[in-house]
Every structure is written in C-alpha cells, then in structure tokens.
Amino acid sequence: MEDQAQELRELMGNMEAQDSEKKSDDSGHKTRIIAVTSGKGGVGKTNLAVNMAIAYAQQGKKVILIDGDLGMANVNVLLNVVPQYNLMQVINKQKTMQEIILDTEVGIKFIAGANGFSKIANLSVDELDYFAKQFAQLGNADIIIIDTGAGIANNVLQFVAAADEVYVVTTPEPTAITDAYGMIKIITTELVDRQINIKLLVNRVHSAEEGKKISDRIITIVGQFLNYKVDYIGFVYDDSVVSASVIRQKPFMIVNPTSKPAQCIKHIVGRIEKTDNSSSEGVSSFLRKFLKKK
C-alpha cells in the first residue's frame, strides 16, 4: 500500500510539473476553477451556477460546467439536455474526456457527474494515470464551474478543497443563514491544511440592502468565532423570471437577459473577473488537491 501511495504522489507531482510547463507555453493562460456550494438544498445554488457559466460564455470565455452533485444531479434538467455518458465512463476507461463533454445551445460545455467520482482515489496507478491525463484535457478552458452537492458530504468537501474559489450560496431565510455559517465552519475547521478562498452569494433578496445586511451578519460572525475572512461577492434578486425559466428548462440569462436576476449575475461575474486570479493553478493541481482530501 505504501508503494502504491508513493507512486500516486509521484504521478500527481509529474502532472503538476507538466501543468506548469503547459501554462508557461500558453502565454500565461490559467483555468479558473470555481466551486458553487451551499449549506442546505433549495437555495438556488444550481440555478446560479448554470447562469454564471452562461454569463462567462457571453463574455467570450471558454466555459465548462461540471455537475458535482453526485447524489441529486440536476444541471442537465436546467439545461434541458440528456447526457449519454458521465465521468464514470472515463474513470472506468470506457470513454475519453472529449467523448463525454456535451456542447450546449447556451454556449457552454457540460460534463455530467457520477456517483463513483469520489472513489477515484481507490483506482490503481494505471487507472488513475489514464483519468488524470483525460482530466488534464480540460485545461484549455478559461473557467470551470463545479456545482457541488448541498451540505457537508465528503465529496462536497473534496471539490471545495480543490477549487481556486468557493462561492457559498444562501438566502435570507434563517435556516439558510444558519446552514451557510455551518458550511463555512466545516470548511474552515476540516480543511485546516489550506487557505480556502470563500465568497458569499446571497440569493432571492428583495433589495441590495437586504443582501448586504445578510452578508454582513454572516461575515461578522465568521470573523468573530472562526477568525476567518469571507468576502461578499454579490446578491441576486427574488424574481418570478427565475421560476418561469426553470419550468421552461431554459436559463434566465437566455430567456430574459435584461431581467434583474440576469443583471445581478452579470455584475457578480464582472466582480469575479476583477479579483486576483494569480492563485489559480490549473486542472492538474485541482486533481492533486482533490485526491488529497479523503
């Protein structure tokens, strides 16, 4: 077992070196990897992840959206697509990464998740080598957005630990606020070996003041009791256009790009783009960090 563990470490180290060489050969191109998560379900996390991906694509970015909700995957429902394959086929060496990526009519690429994805650390060195090389092909994207599951399951923390940035979604509901704090507490106490770049996104607000008030409350408590800095990235209005777009299975960035929620998403993406991206390390580094959190 120790020999295998050493081989895995060497494999991931070699991949990281190759990733650095690739970035230097590609005029400093970096893939920004964002995890969108929440402390509880029902706060609109997946909807925001999908529409953020579309907003990035509308800026001319190459975007890949990965459904990381391994138990209740529903990104495909919002996009009205039926994936024939998912990451499990790549893990089992049945398909290549390029064969499972779906092009969508909204300008982004989509990868369906798999319940077995969190078990890739149990693969043999040869199997992991194949998967790692396939996953590294995603490095030509500008943005990878991962819609994680809600809550504190181990696979959620794996995605959170490996991403460059983590966006915790909450709403003004007291239970959502409590669960958002709980999620941040778990992240900051369980992942003590690395500094996680956490940002707060407040969904379904009725005013900008409400969003700021909610975020200030959580950020203050996190700073006071966890001694951790969390930033506020923005809010999204509560609007009937959102539920209407879900029923139509067409994202609101497409159905009504001038709506208040769409304008909020554009503003959030604009703020993200203005933040420092120097910490982004590429897809190979993402996979290395993903495997480290077991």
Side-chain angles (χ1 to χ4, degrees):
M1 287 294 293
E2 180 58 33
D3 289 343
Q4 184 184 46
Q6 179 61 33
E7 288 178 342
L8 289 173
R9 285 192 291 269
E10 291 176 358
L11 168 63
M12 300 315 296
N14 290 338
M15 282 194 61
E16 192 173 18
Q18 292 170 8
D19 191 57
S20 296
E21 291 175 5
K22 180 179 179 182
K23 281 189 283 187
S24 63
D25 292 340
D26 197 20
S27 302
H29 176 268
K30 292 182 179 180
T31 301
R32 192 170 201 154
I33 302 178
I34 297 171
V36 182
T37 193
S38 64
K40 69 185 291 291
V43 298
K45 168 184 59 62
T46 297
N47 212 341
L48 296 187
V50 169
N51 284 280
M52 283 174 61
I54 294 170
Y56 262 115
Q58 291 176 347
Q59 288 189 356
K61 303 286 188 180
K62 296 178 181 178
V63 184
I64 297 175
L65 178 61
I66 299 178
D67 195 336
D69 192 341
L70 308 182
M72 299 288 288
N74 54 12
V75 169
N76 61 296
V77 176
L78 293 180
L79 291 174
N80 195 23
V81 297
V82 181
Q84 187 174 0
Y85 307 111
N86 58 42
L87 283 170
M88 202 65 212
Q89 276 75 45
V90 180
I91 292 172
N92 293 334
K93 300 175 71 172
Q94 298 170 331
K95 295 291 179 180
T96 66
M97 189 65 74
Q98 295 304 316
E99 288 176 320
I100 72 164
I101 295 179
L102 285 178
D103 288 310
T104 70
E105 62 180 14
V106 296
I108 66 175
K109 293 182 180 294
F110 169 59
I111 296 177
N115 284 319
F117 185 58
S118 60
K119 300 177 182 178
I120 63 172
N122 297 324
L123 300 179
S124 69
V125 173
D126 179 63
E127 290 170 330
L128 184 59
D129 181 48
Y130 176 83
F131 180 80
K133 288 177 178 176
Q134 292 298 318
F135 198 83
Q137 293 180 23
L138 304 183
N140 64 344
D142 297 309
I143 305 291
I144 294 177
I145 295 179
I146 303 167
D147 174 40
T148 79
I152 57 174
N154 189 55
N155 60 67
V156 174
L157 292 181
Q158 284 181 290
F159 284 124
V160 166
D164 298 319
E165 300 155 68
V166 178
Y167 295 86
V168 177
V169 179
T170 188
T171 69
E173 295 178 3
T175 53
I177 295 171
T178 301
D179 288 337
Y181 171 77
M183 183 68 182
I184 294 170
K185 182 178 180 180
I186 290 294
I187 293 172
T188 57
T189 55
E190 291 289 324
L191 308 177
V192 294
D193 60 332
R194 66 197 74 180
Q195 184 72 18
I196 308 297
N197 185 358
I198 304 175
K199 291 181 171 61
L200 195 64
L201 200 166
V202 186
N203 193 25
R204 298 176 187 157
V205 305
H206 296 94
S207 68
E209 291 74 19
E210 183 181 28
K212 186 67 165 56
K213 181 179 178 180
I214 297 298
S215 66
D216 284 347
R217 185 189 311 174
I218 297 174
I219 289 170
T220 299
I221 296 174
V222 169
Q224 181 178 352
F225 292 101
L226 304 178
N227 192 30
Y228 207 91
K229 186 178 186 298
V230 174
D231 294 320
Y232 176 47
I233 197 63
F235 68 92
V236 177
Y237 280 111
D238 187 18
D239 194 295
S240 60
V241 70
V242 177
S243 56
S245 69
V246 171
I247 293 173
R248 293 180 59 181
Q249 291 182 268
K250 288 190 175 182
F252 59 78
M253 287 295 299
I254 301 297
V255 174
N256 195 337
T258 61
S259 65
K260 284 186 176 181
Q263 294 302 316
C264 288
I265 291 293
K266 292 176 183 178
H267 179 69
I268 289 169
V269 167
R271 290 191 64 184
I272 295 172
E273 282 299 283
K274 291 178 181 177
T275 59
D276 184 20
N277 192 30
S278 61
S279 62
S280 299
E281 300 179 84
V283 294
S284 297
S285 178
F286 169 87
L287 190 59
R288 173 180 57 80
K289 290 185 288 186
F290 183 92
L291 289 168
K292 186 176 180 181
K293 179 69 184 76
K294 300 177 183 179

